[in-house]
Amino acid sequence: MTTAHPSTHVFDDAIALEPIESGRWAGRTHAAWGNMVGPFGGITAATMLNAAWIDPRRLGEPLALTVNYAGPLADGAFVVDAQPVRSNRSTQHWAMTLYQRDQVTTTATAVFAVRRDTWAAAELQPPEAPAADAVAVTPSPIPFEWPRRYEMRFVHGAWADLSQPAELAESESLLWLRDDPPRPLDALSLAALADVFYPRIFRRRQRFTPAGTVSITTYFHAEQQAMAAQGTRPVLARARGLRFVHGFFDQSAELWNDMGQLLASSHQVVYFKE
């Protein structure tokens, strides 16, 4: 039995899991998602969500996902335990743990929800940006594999210019973003997209700083039907840092469809070292 997406897209290959027993899955890191240490955190987040998503006990669609990176994930095999801890009429709560060589590297919780038609409103408005096809693709300058898995069209706040360090007053980035090669949007790819933004301290200080995500929470505001309607078209993505202090900072992000609807928002706390 294989749980990979039928399309054999590199994203689906990377998050593919094989069943060991109920609630226990075997996976393996993928070289195409390599980062400084181990794989890109977004692909790990998507893998954790996938362990619950493909479980026949799962009810509803993703509402929230929190991933805690407890330690480095090395290249190679791993095991994910995923168990529903409580199910209600509207929500189902999951706990997931990723093990490698008998060590916990990642923990996560997820909430799935049965979405119903209700009153709806949006207070946050999308940022102004030119259409995606009016913005040039910005190649990644860093020597790691995972940025090559995405087409990035920066409106502003592109990759930090590490050759000319000069501290900036803010750290915002705004870009059009999609998988490369294109892949229809769903909750799994959205979980990874929410972590695409390079650490905001790179942008703010315009220099390389050792940094890594400690914990990220992503909220899914769109149902599967709305994600499917976006298809392979780019989403508009914005990220900014909020406060940098005592070796940690937090950054928030938003992901919008090209009709101006908020698909997901995320908040993460990141460790940095001088």
Side-chain angles (χ1 to χ4, degrees):
M1 173 183 175
T2 180
T3 59
H5 194 279
S7 69
T8 70
H9 191 281
V10 65
F11 177 87
D12 301 288
D13 290 343
I15 66 170
L17 297 168
E18 296 288 341
I20 300 173
E21 58 189 24
S22 179
R24 191 169 176 85
W25 306 88
R28 176 172 289 275
T29 60
H30 196 296
W33 297 89
N35 201 1
M36 284 185 290
V37 178
F40 162 54
I43 204 69
T44 302
T47 301
M48 300 295 274
L49 183 61
N50 195 32
W53 178 257
I54 61 179
D55 194 299
R57 298 171 293 176
R58 186 259 301 171
L59 301 175
E61 299 179 357
L63 183 67
L65 172 68
T66 296
V67 180
N68 306 304
Y69 301 93
L73 178 60
D75 293 335
F78 57 80
V79 171
V80 179
D81 283 343
Q83 298 295 338
V85 296
R86 182 158 181 167
S87 299
N88 304 313
R89 287 197 306 169
S90 297
T91 60
Q92 185 182 55
H93 300 253
W94 284 74
M96 296 88 82
T97 305
L98 189 153
Y99 298 89
Q100 192 174 56
R101 303 176 187 133
D102 298 323
Q103 294 282 331
V104 174
T105 72
T106 315
T107 65
T109 58
V111 180
F112 289 78
V114 177
R115 298 181 185 268
R116 299 180 175 89
D117 289 334
T118 64
W119 175 85
E123 295 193 10
L124 184 65
Q125 296 302 308
E128 293 185 5
D133 59 8
V135 181
V137 174
T138 309
S140 167
I142 63 177
F144 308 119
E145 283 299 315
W146 76 262
R148 298 179 175 86
R149 308 288 80 82
Y150 293 104
E151 178 190 279
M152 303 183 188
R153 299 172 180 265
F154 281 91
V155 177
H156 62 252
W159 299 96
D161 184 359
L162 305 183
S163 66
Q164 297 181 351
E167 187 169 316
L168 303 179
E170 50 79 29
S171 61
E172 183 175 283
S173 289
L174 180 65
L175 68 154
W176 289 101
L177 177 66
R178 66 175 171 180
D179 290 282
D180 189 11
R183 176 189 181 278
L185 187 69
D186 61 15
L188 298 170
S189 59
L190 199 56
L193 289 170
D195 195 32
V196 159
F197 312 95
Y198 64 86
R200 297 294 86 195
I201 197 166
F202 290 10
R203 176 71 187 166
R204 181 67 188 267
R205 303 188 76 187
Q206 292 288 289
R207 72 187 197 193
F208 175 78
T209 303
T213 300
V214 178
S215 180
I216 180 171
T217 296
T218 301
Y219 300 104
F220 302 87
H221 305 295
E223 73 281 3
Q224 288 296 113
Q225 184 178 359
M227 296 182 203
Q230 182 68 12
T232 61
R233 301 190 308 278
V235 299
L236 184 62
R238 176 169 65 179
R240 56 196 179 278
L242 300 187
R243 192 179 186 208
F244 306 80
V245 64
H246 302 316
F248 295 90
F249 65 90
D250 58 340
Q251 63 185 52
S252 63
E254 305 144 21
L255 297 159
W256 305 79
N257 68 12
D258 52 9
M259 299 296 290
Q261 297 170 324
L262 185 63
L263 298 173
S265 57
S266 73
H267 204 88
Q268 64 179 278
V269 63
V270 184
Y271 161 84
F272 73 90
K273 184 178 180 180
E274 288 287 348

